[in-house]
Amino acid sequence: MTNNTIRPYYLYFSMIFMLLGCNNQKNEQQSDARLQSVRNDKRPNIIVILADDMGYSDLGCMGSEIATPNLDRLANNGALFTHCYNASRCCPSRASLLTGLYQHSVGIGHMTADRGFPAYRGFLNKQCVTIAEVLQKEGYQTFMSGKWHVGGAREQWPDYRGFERFYSIPSGGGVYFYPSPFVDREIYRNGEQVFPDSSTFYSTDAFTDEALQMVETASEDDQPFFLYLAYIAPHFPLQAWPEDIAKYQGKYDQGYEGIRQRRYEKQQQLNIISAETEISPSDFPAWNTVENQEAEAHKMEIYAAQVDRMDQNIGKLLAKLEEKDQLDNTVILFLSDNGATAEEVNRAPGAEIGTVASFASYGQNWANVSNTPYRLYKSMEHEGGIITPLIVHWPQGMGASGQLVKQVVLINDIMPTCLEIAGATYPEQYNGNEILPLNGRSFAPLLQKPVNTVERLIFWEHEGNKAVRQGAWKLVKRHRQPWELYNLEDDPTELNDLSKEQPEKFDQLEKAWNEWAAEVGVRYWPVK
């Protein structure tokens, strides 16, 4: 087998076992040992890195002015998927990523509050398995560092869902500096609460430092590892190290329109979008009408610093993998859990934004810039809420580097992709429970070369916002508003509603959405 071919590991291992198997116990033991050696030597490590509330255009390789050299390097030497869809908000996206299923099917149709219905329990149910649970059974070391947020009770934490080591804030995010005067967040290492040094703690750094220790320990073992690294960055509150903020001083003084236009033009140059793609209408006021331009620009300086610091830490992770001679056979996947958020938050008016004394967001205006060129925001099912870049890097297992992949993939697809790469089998039962069949599908073949994919139906729902896509056609609506129909091939930024011109397509997709919603247990919002 060549290094640049995605190996069907499970078939390979089976052949080795058949060739080496013998009738007597001694030879069977020798066969098992040789089989284990093959598995040890060949299976790749897998790292999934998840950003929180990062907009579509916030990386350098996606058109941004923010310095992200490490993620750009991964994209330039790997594959950049320009049409990966998430589930539009943190908890649902995490549930789908970890299980390969729609969030309602696994009990997280909304967030972590238990609303009493099977699709809205607020934690991962027993009818699903996580990537870690499957890979742990296959001999992988399994690690988690960062924001969990798919079950807050002790029996719902990472170590109960397949992770043998974890460093996490199980209850959610909202923390950069510690402790926070605004949110009560406890930090745990392998189930034991830790109390970090408040003078040095910054969550992006801390999550990475713990991940580095996990990689260091894993390199002493022959077994491959799976690491789930879930940053809080760049989710509000706007808090960053002063030296990172200083790098962006004056960078955003030109205001919303200038930055957005430059990103849009760079996206066209990079072929992220076509020259024919029309940017969606701006959703912010003219800069010359903004009363406190300096304060408004400063918000984006801090946000950029948060993205920058995340990239710096990913650089540390890459350096550790290189030090351990693990980078070439480690699959790294990076994406965001949803688009940029339009939430307007300021819990401490008058406090210096960027410090632990403040708790503010950058608001709708800058979120519109982050989501260039798309419409709307986190929690909504228009493109601005659900589309994310997906970076995949694996030198030993991919085709040509620098691939730009425009086929549609879904966050549910990450689980089956990881399993195929690892040669792992998805179970029908786990710990005595019947497991739902996957509805994600592996995109591993796309890491080799462009492949024609079947135009499957994919679905969304969050807080009454709804969507369904098949091929170029997308039916989408905001809560309590009419459905809209778009041909995304001709109109990727959803500007020309064809619901009146295409009644048959409209009816077909609406029927499909209704059937899916009944199947997975969607309830009318708000769920009583």
Side-chain angles (χ1 to χ4, degrees), residues 36 79 98 152 192 221 251 331 378 398 416 436 440 482:
Q36 191 61 48
L98 287 167
E192 297 293 327
D221 195 312
K251 191 79 170 179
V331 185
K378 168 186 174 179
M398 294 179 61
L436 294 168

Side-chain angles (χ1 to χ4, degrees), residues 365-476:
N365 300 339
W366 286 118
N368 191 207
V369 175
S370 284
N371 285 340
T372 304
Y374 296 112
R375 287 177 57 202
L376 300 180
Y377 310 99
K378 168 186 174 179
S379 299
M380 305 170 194
E381 315 306 352
H382 287 73
E383 297 291 279
I386 59 176
I387 195 167
T388 174
L390 168 66
I391 297 171
V392 184
H393 183 268
W394 183 22
Q396 283 191 12
M398 294 179 61
S401 61
Q403 301 175 59
L404 201 61
V405 183
K406 298 198 174 185
Q407 280 97 330
V408 170
V409 297
L410 187 62
I411 197 167
N412 308 34
D413 299 339
I414 288 176
M415 158 72 117
T417 301
C418 290
L419 299 193
E420 179 174 346
I421 287 170
T425 301
Y426 184 79
E428 295 181 0
Q429 292 186 334
Y430 185 83
N431 287 346
N433 299 300
E434 296 291 329
I435 301 301
L436 294 168
L438 284 169
N439 53 44
R441 68 182 186 193
S442 173
F443 53 76
L446 294 174
L447 303 180
Q448 274 297 294
K449 60 184 179 180
V451 177
N452 291 327
T453 55
V454 176
E455 293 185 345
R456 60 175 167 167
L457 285 157
I458 51 179
F459 303 93
W460 295 266
E461 190 279 336
H462 186 73
E463 295 185 344
N465 301 307
K466 308 171 182 179
V468 51
R469 176 171 179 170
Q470 185 177 39
W473 291 99
K474 180 182 176 186
L475 190 67
V476 59

Side-chain angles (χ1 to χ4, degrees), residues 263-406:
R263 289 190 179 192
Y264 170 62
E265 292 171 359
K266 187 177 177 183
Q267 287 175 332
Q268 291 176 318
Q269 294 166 8
L270 294 171
N271 197 29
I272 301 299
I273 60 175
S274 71
E276 291 75 34
T277 298
E278 185 178 352
I279 194 170
S280 61
S282 59
D283 204 10
F284 45 73
W287 188 246
N288 60 11
T289 67
V290 175
E291 290 185 5
N292 194 336
Q293 294 179 356
E294 182 178 355
E296 192 67 10
H298 189 52
K299 291 180 184 177
M300 191 62 188
E301 292 170 1
I302 302 166
Y303 179 88
Q306 293 174 229
V307 175
D308 187 309
R309 176 60 62 159
M310 178 175 63
D311 184 83
Q312 291 177 49
N313 276 277
I314 290 170
K316 293 179 186 178
L317 179 60
L318 299 181
K320 174 61 71 173
L321 292 168
E322 289 177 318
E323 174 193 325
K324 298 299 178 182
D325 196 28
Q326 296 281 322
L327 182 61
D328 283 356
N329 200 30
T330 296
V331 185
I332 300 173
L333 303 97
F334 173 90
L335 71 162
S336 179
D337 64 349
N338 45 253
T341 179
E343 294 165 272
E344 302 284 353
V345 177
N346 189 352
R347 298 187 189 176
E352 182 183 355
I353 292 181
T355 69
V356 69
S358 70
F359 196 101
S361 66
Y362 71 168
Q364 175 179 297
N365 300 339
W366 286 118
N368 191 207
V369 175
S370 284
N371 285 340
T372 304
Y374 296 112
R375 287 177 57 202
L376 300 180
Y377 310 99
K378 168 186 174 179
S379 299
M380 305 170 194
E381 315 306 352
H382 287 73
E383 297 291 279
I386 59 176
I387 195 167
T388 174
L390 168 66
I391 297 171
V392 184
H393 183 268
W394 183 22
Q396 283 191 12
M398 294 179 61
S401 61
Q403 301 175 59
L404 201 61
V405 183
K406 298 198 174 185

